[in-house]
Amino acid sequence: MIESEDTTVLLLLAFMATIVRGLLGLVVLLMLYLLSNLALGKDQKNKHGIGEEVSRFGGIAIFIGVLAYFISSSFWFEDVAHGALVENLRGYEPFALAVGVVGLCEDCKFSIKPRTRLFLALIAIIIVALNNPELIPKRVEFWFADDFFNHPALLFMGVVIIVVGFINAGNISDGANGLLAINAMSVFVLMYLQASSVFYFSLLVSLGVFSMYNILSGRIFLGDFGSYTLSALMALCCLDLYVSTNASVWFFASLLSYPCTEIVRVMINRALKHKSPFSADNSHVHNKLYEAINRKGLNTLAANSLTGILLGVCFSVVPVTLAVTGLLSWEEEIWGIYFLFSVLVHLLLSRIKVSVTDPQTI
């Protein structure tokens, strides 16, 4: 039995989804509703320090929506039908999905040790780098030891480490409503503008519907499948855009600054406390900001959603908007200063005092 409050939210979401992209939006919305009501894949209350008992299957709903639109588009659009659907892919998307499958095991309660997950992700990304050598930059601008760091072997190793690190960084962000989805949409907007791919268009629509449902209801997260897949794809897309354009590496550092800064900050803190880097707690910036907002009188859902929106907009939407509108070209070296400013803001937010930090499993 659906409560009246749930009915109102669902009607609002249905209306918004229809405006966004008709049938695809409704398919994703239906999957989100059905999956959020499954007993399987539910996290215990306050696992991340914020929110109630929620489903981890948001990534599955997005995958189903993208797959449905991607396949059906061959019947709707003549140009896609005559040109193979695989031409809408860049070649690394299946590997991002393979990384996501590792996370799906965790979502379905088939627990895999963190070190094993890290190793499997590492293997997948090494294969991606070997299979797609064009993703390895020929040269990257560094502020010091430029020739040393631009050795091909070091660039290869650097790409693998950065992508694997970002996969884990993105997973950390999946706790504040809308945060990782907004980060992902910011990257995929750039990818769609560059490639005009049906795949990235369907991703944007599906993520848009997910974000609305996640922010308004708080009943479903991306889960490890969603966060692993999207994070891997985001990192690979940024590499693709970097090597195929004249964009500054610091632009992409700015665009992905929240998860990257957060994972470095957290791992340093854990090392200083002689804790395992795979241990978990609720001391993330989004946890702290949530508690600060919650103390101002907002309820759990509103505080959690406002946290995700604020962080997503400040750290991802602003830089991509500046780049797309041409207010600050993504080729400018001044993005290095912008990135440092983003890190400073992040560190200032990390100083927010919280009342409790309960160790949990991320």
Side-chain angles (χ1 to χ4, degrees):
M1 184 69 179
I2 302 176
E3 297 179 0
S4 58
E5 183 179 346
D6 289 338
T7 303
T8 302
V9 171
L10 282 173
L11 288 174
L12 176 60
L13 288 165
F15 175 73
M16 296 171 74
T18 303
I19 292 177
V20 172
R21 189 56 181 180
L23 186 58
L24 172 59
L26 291 173
V27 168
V28 176
L29 176 59
L30 177 62
M31 294 308 305
L32 288 166
Y33 178 74
L34 293 176
L35 291 170
S36 65
N37 284 284
L38 285 180
L40 180 65
K42 286 284 183 72
D43 270 341
Q44 68 268 29
K45 292 183 178 180
N46 296 315
K47 176 175 180 178
H48 299 276
I50 49 182
E52 300 295 328
E53 185 178 86
V54 294
S55 171
R56 299 167 60 98
F57 287 160
I60 295 177
I62 292 171
F63 172 75
I64 292 173
V66 170
L67 185 64
Y69 187 80
F70 197 51
I71 293 175
S72 61
S73 63
S74 63
F75 302 103
W76 299 344
F77 304 115
E78 185 176 352
D79 57 334
V80 177
H82 290 287
L85 281 173
V86 292
E87 292 180 3
N88 282 272
L89 300 177
R90 307 290 289 180
Y92 43 75
E93 293 87 352
F95 295 97
L97 184 62
V99 173
V101 171
V102 176
L104 182 60
C105 296
E106 189 71 17
D107 292 334
C108 294
K109 307 303 181 182
F110 300 117
S111 185
I112 300 177
K113 291 181 178 180
R115 287 181 177 81
T116 304
R117 277 183 278 164
L118 182 66
F119 175 74
L120 293 174
L122 179 65
I123 295 300
I125 300 307
I126 289 175
I127 295 174
V128 171
L130 292 173
N131 192 62
N132 299 269
E134 69 278 4
L135 292 178
I136 310 299
K138 296 295 186 291
R139 191 168 188 84
V140 179
E141 64 265 29
F142 291 99
W143 287 338
F144 59 91
D146 196 67
D147 290 335
F148 174 77
F149 286 118
N150 275 292
H151 189 281
L154 288 179
L155 287 175
F156 181 92
M157 292 171 57
V159 163
V160 171
I161 292 171
I162 288 172
V163 175
V164 173
F166 187 77
I167 291 170
N168 289 275
N171 189 41
I172 286 176
S173 301
D174 187 33
N177 291 343
L179 177 52
L180 185 57
I182 292 173
N183 293 159
M185 285 190 288
S186 298
V187 173
F188 298 147
V189 160
L190 294 173
M191 199 67 215
Y192 177 70
L193 291 175
Q194 289 294 117
S196 298
S197 166
V198 169
F199 173 75
Y200 287 100
F201 175 80
S202 60
L203 250 182
L204 284 170
V205 175
S206 298
L207 278 166
V209 176
F210 166 80
S211 297
M212 290 187 292
Y213 191 90
N214 183 221
I215 288 169
L216 291 174
S217 74
R219 298 176 60 190
I220 192 166
F221 284 129
L222 289 168
D224 285 359
F225 172 71
S227 62
Y228 278 24
T229 303
L230 290 174
S231 298
L233 195 54
M234 289 164 66
L236 293 170
C237 282
C238 286
L239 281 170
D240 190 353
L241 289 168
Y242 177 69
V243 299
S244 61
T245 67
N246 294 320
S248 168
V249 67
W250 300 111
F251 165 72
F252 296 108
S254 301
L255 185 60
L256 305 177
S257 64
Y258 179 81
C260 294
T261 305
E262 182 61 14
I263 193 170
V264 171
R265 185 189 68 82
V266 166
M267 293 190 73
I268 290 175
N269 282 345
R270 289 172 184 170
L272 292 175
K273 295 177 181 178
H274 305 289
K275 295 172 63 176
S276 167
F278 299 107
S279 62
D281 54 47
N282 292 322
S283 64
H284 301 300
V285 165
H286 51 273
N287 295 122
K288 294 182 176 185
L289 183 58
Y290 157 79
E291 183 167 331
I293 295 174
N294 189 232
R295 286 199 300 259
K296 297 297 183 181
L298 270 69
N299 62 38
T300 298
L301 174 60
N304 194 0
S305 297
L306 185 57
T307 296
I309 293 171
L310 286 175
L311 293 175
V313 169
C314 289
F315 289 97
S316 288
V317 175
V318 170
V320 80
T321 300
L322 290 173
V324 169
T325 59
L327 292 174
L328 181 58
S329 171
W330 64 359
E331 300 176 5
E332 298 290 338
E333 292 303 316
I334 197 173
W335 282 106
I337 298 174
Y338 187 100
F339 171 68
L340 292 177
F341 177 75
S342 298
V343 172
L344 177 61
V345 171
H346 191 120
L347 295 177
L348 289 174
L349 288 173
S350 72
R351 304 303 297 172
I352 296 174
K353 300 297 182 181
V354 294
S355 57
V356 179
T357 302
D358 295 320
Q360 301 287 350
T361 302
I362 296 178

